[in-house]
Amino acid sequence: MSKSPGNMLIKGGTLITMDKARKVLKGDILVEDGRISKIGKVSASAGGKLILDAEGKAVLPGFIQTHVHLCQTLLRGMAEDMPLLEWLKKVIWPGEAAMDDRSLEASVELGLCEVIRSGTTTIQDMGTVNGQDVVFESLKRSNIRAFAGKAMMDMGRGVPRKLKETTRNSLQTSEALCKRWNGANNGLVRYAFAPRFVLSCSSRLLSEIGPIARENKARIHTHCSEQAPEVAAVKRNYGKDNVEVLAEFGLLGEDVGLAHCVHVSRKEIRLLAQTGTGVLHCPSANLKLGSGIAPVPEMDESGVRLSLGADGAPCNNNLNPFNEMRLASLIQKARLGPGAMPAVNALALATIRGAEVLGLEHETGSIEEGKSADLVVVDLGKAHNTGHDLYSSLVFASNRDDVTHVIVAGKPLLWQGELMTLDEDAIVKKAEQEKKRLTAEIDN
Ligand code: GUN
Ligand code: FE
C-alpha cells in the first residue's frame, strides 16, 4: 500500500460503466492522480502503481447515498414500530440531544464503516444540531466523498431544549461551518445546509437559508412529505402542500435535495420537475416507518431528478445501498407490475443519477476517462450471485459482503475486505461503550 498515492491499475474486471450508453466491457482501468486516465487494455509495465486484480469481479462506479444520518447510527434499534412524528419526539430527538462529541463521533464512525463496507463512495449526510465539526473531522479521516451539514431546528412541538436553536444561531453556526468545511479534504467534503423539515423551522429561517446557501455555493438538504400527518400539519400551518411551501421560501432548485416525497400531488411533482429539485428516495425507511411507497416511476416520467439513500440506522436498520436498490425496484413491481423499475434503473439511481442530483455528474457516478476514480469492486463469483444478467445479479442477488474494494479519488477505503482509513475494531468497541453511556444519559 506504499505505492504513489492515487495511482492504480485495476486489471481484468467486468466494467459496468453506467455511462450514457450503459457500456459494459471486460478490461482494465488506469488510475493516475486519483482520476480514471484510461479504460481498456493497459500494460502493467509502468511501475509505482498499486495493482488490483479484478478478474472474475465487477467494477462499478461507487454507490452514492444521497440521504443518510450518520449521527443516528448509535440509536439503531432504539425506536421500533412507531410512526414518524412519535419516533422523532419520543426517541430520535432525545437521543440526538443526549449526544456529546464522543458519542457523536462513535455514531458517525460506526455509520461510516457500514456505508464504506457496502460500497458507498459518496454520501449526503444530515447531521444533528450540535457538534457538527466532529462529523466533518470523521468524514475527512475516512476520505469518503460527502456533502454534509448540521441540522437546523428553531421551532417545533416536542423538540428538546438542547436541539432548539434561535433562528440567528442556526444561520450563523451553519454559515460558519460552511465557510470552514466547504471544499475541505481536496474538495471531497462539501457543505449542504440542512433545515430538518418544514415543521422544525420557522418561516424566517426557511426564507433566509436559500440566499445564504447560494452565496456560499453550498447545497440544501431537507426532508419533505414523508408521512401523512406531517403533510397535514404543514397544510394546517401554511394552507399549502409541502413542496409548494418550499417553493414559496425559495427552497426548490437543482441545488436542493428533498428526502422522501412519498405523499406528493401531481402539481407538486410538476414543480419538482420544473425546478430540477432532487428527490432522495429512501425505500427501506419509507416501508419501516409505515410512510408508504413513493411514486418514483410517476416522478421519473415527469422528469424529476431521483436518487437513493438509506436514511438513518433507526429507521432502516441498515445503511446498505444493495437493500435500497433491491427494494426500490421490488416495491414498484408490486404496485405497477413486473415491468416497473428494471435492475439497471435501480443501479442508475444508486450511481449516475445520484451524482446528477448532487451536481457531481462531471466528477463521479460513472466509469469514464477523466472522472474521479470513485469505484467499487463486487465479487460476482459467489454461489448466490452468479447469473445470466449482470444488472440483476448486482441488484437482486448481491449484497455488501460481496464488496471487496472501495476506492475514492484513487485512494483505497476498503482493500480485500479490510477498511483502510478507519480502525473498524476500535470503532465497534468504542461504539459499544458509547451506546451504554448514551443510554444512561437518556435515562437521566
Ligand atoms: N424528518 C425530520 N427529521 C427526520 C429524521 O431524522 N428522519 C426521518 N426519517 N425523517 C425525518
Ligand atoms: Fe432522514
Side-chain angles (χ1 to χ4, degrees), residues 360-383:
L360 292 175
E361 68 274 20
H362 300 297
E363 188 65 4
T364 189
S366 59
I367 301 180
E368 293 182 69
E369 289 175 3
K371 280 198 175 184
S372 177
D374 295 1
L375 302 165
V376 55
V377 181
V378 179
D379 189 347
L380 286 183
K382 305 267 193 77

Side-chain angles (χ1 to χ4, degrees), residues 69 72 84 87-88 92 196-197 223 226 260 289 311 315:
H69 300 250
Q72 293 176 359
L84 175 68
W87 177 85
L88 286 170
I92 301 306
R196 190 160 195 145
F197 64 162
H223 294 96
E226 180 174 3
H260 305 292
L289 291 179
D311 209 339
C315 60

Side-chain angles (χ1 to χ4, degrees), residues 61-81:
F63 299 126
I64 299 178
Q65 295 211 57
T66 55
H67 182 66
V68 296
H69 300 250
L70 295 177
C71 68
Q72 293 176 359
T73 319
L74 225 47
L75 308 177
R76 175 169 19 220
M78 231 184 218
E80 299 298 300
D81 314 318

Side-chain angles (χ1 to χ4, degrees), residues 206-265:
L206 292 172
S207 64
E208 292 197 20
I209 288 170
I212 297 177
R214 281 153 192 148
E215 192 182 302
N216 285 281
K217 297 188 167 43
R219 293 193 59 83
I220 298 164
H221 175 204
T222 187
H223 294 96
C224 176
S225 299
E226 180 174 3
Q227 215 158 81
E230 169 210 353
V231 172
V234 171
K235 194 137 196 174
R236 271 199 305 279
N237 292 353
Y238 288 97
K240 286 187 180 158
D241 284 328
N242 212 334
V243 175
E244 298 173 78
V245 173
L246 292 172
E248 195 173 289
F249 288 116
L251 293 175
L252 297 182
E254 290 183 9
D255 53 355
V256 180
L258 309 181
H260 305 292
C261 294
V262 175
H263 303 278
V264 282
S265 66

Side-chain angles (χ1 to χ4, degrees), residues 82-84 226-228 262-263 284-293:
M82 285 180 215
L84 175 68
E226 180 174 3
Q227 215 158 81
V262 175
H263 303 278
S284 298
N286 294 343
L287 292 176
K288 185 156 185 281
L289 291 179
S291 305
I293 297 179

Side-chain angles (χ1 to χ4, degrees), residues 276-393:
T277 306
V279 169
L280 323 175
H281 179 43
C282 304
S284 298
N286 294 343
L287 292 176
K288 185 156 185 281
L289 291 179
S291 305
I293 297 179
V296 167
E298 291 88 335
M299 290 194 270
D300 200 14
E301 263 171 38
S302 305
V304 176
R305 294 168 170 240
L306 289 152
S307 60
L308 288 183
D311 209 339
C315 60
N316 189 309
N317 297 357
N318 280 263
L319 304 175
N320 175 358
F322 287 95
N323 290 347
E324 303 315 313
M325 290 192 290
R326 180 180 161 84
L327 275 181
S329 174
L330 297 188
I331 58 181
Q332 301 304 337
K333 292 183 185 301
R335 274 182 74 219
L336 304 169
M341 188 69 82
V344 63
N345 295 14
L347 184 63
L349 290 178
T351 55
I352 187 63
R353 296 193 67 183
E356 285 164 3
V357 158
L358 295 176
L360 292 175
E361 68 274 20
H362 300 297
E363 188 65 4
T364 189
S366 59
I367 301 180
E368 293 182 69
E369 289 175 3
K371 280 198 175 184
S372 177
D374 295 1
L375 302 165
V376 55
V377 181
V378 179
D379 189 347
L380 286 183
K382 305 267 193 77
H384 62 264
N385 68 3
T386 60
H388 292 278
D389 176 76
L390 280 168
Y391 293 116
S392 63
S393 285

Side-chain angles (χ1 to χ4, degrees), residues 2-191:
S2 57
K3 309 281 168 63
S4 353
N7 288 358
M8 189 184 291
L9 177 57
I10 303 171
K11 285 292 292 177
T14 300
L15 313 182
I16 301 176
T17 65
M18 298 310 285
D19 66 3
K20 277 215 171 62
R22 301 287 187 257
K23 209 161 48 255
V24 174
L25 64 144
K26 184 113 171 69
D28 313 321
I29 299 176
L30 180 65
V31 176
E32 292 178 300
D33 297 326
R35 293 198 173 268
I36 298 168
S37 60
K38 190 162 191 295
I39 299 169
K41 185 101 201 86
V42 181
S43 130
S45 62
K49 287 188 286 300
L50 198 57
I51 306 282
L52 194 168
D53 178 9
E55 200 60 51
K57 293 176 177 154
V59 185
L60 352 171
F63 299 126
I64 299 178
Q65 295 211 57
T66 55
H67 182 66
V68 296
H69 300 250
L70 295 177
C71 68
Q72 293 176 359
T73 319
L74 225 47
L75 308 177
R76 175 169 19 220
M78 231 184 218
E80 299 298 300
D81 314 318
M82 285 180 215
L84 175 68
L85 297 176
E86 183 187 345
W87 177 85
L88 286 170
K89 288 175 195 175
K90 281 202 177 145
V91 188
I92 301 306
W93 288 341
E96 288 185 22
M99 283 189 193
D100 59 14
D101 284 359
R102 261 168 59 195
S103 43
L104 180 59
E105 183 185 82
S107 193
V108 169
E109 294 196 345
L110 195 62
L112 281 169
C113 288
E114 187 179 353
V115 296
I116 294 168
R117 274 208 165 282
S118 51
T120 310
T121 53
T122 299
I123 55 172
Q124 178 165 247
D125 182 69
M126 184 173 292
T128 183
V129 173
N130 306 303
Q132 183 64 28
D133 282 302
V134 169
V135 181
F136 279 118
E137 293 290 353
S138 295
L139 291 171
K140 183 176 167 188
R141 253 196 313 283
S142 75
N143 208 59
I144 199 165
R145 188 184 295 281
F147 276 97
K150 75 171 235 73
M152 305 173 83
M153 303 174 74
D154 71 338
M155 65 161 239
R157 285 169 61 184
V159 178
R161 194 176 42 81
K162 276 194 186 160
L163 297 189
K164 204 179 274 186
E165 330 165 83
T166 64
T167 311
R168 206 183 129 114
N169 250 332
S170 186
L171 290 164
Q172 282 182 347
T173 314
S174 298
E175 190 173 13
L177 282 161
C178 179
K179 291 205 185 298
R180 203 146 57 240
W181 289 102
N182 204 13
N185 202 22
N186 301 313
L188 287 181
V189 170
R190 312 274 285 274
Y191 201 82

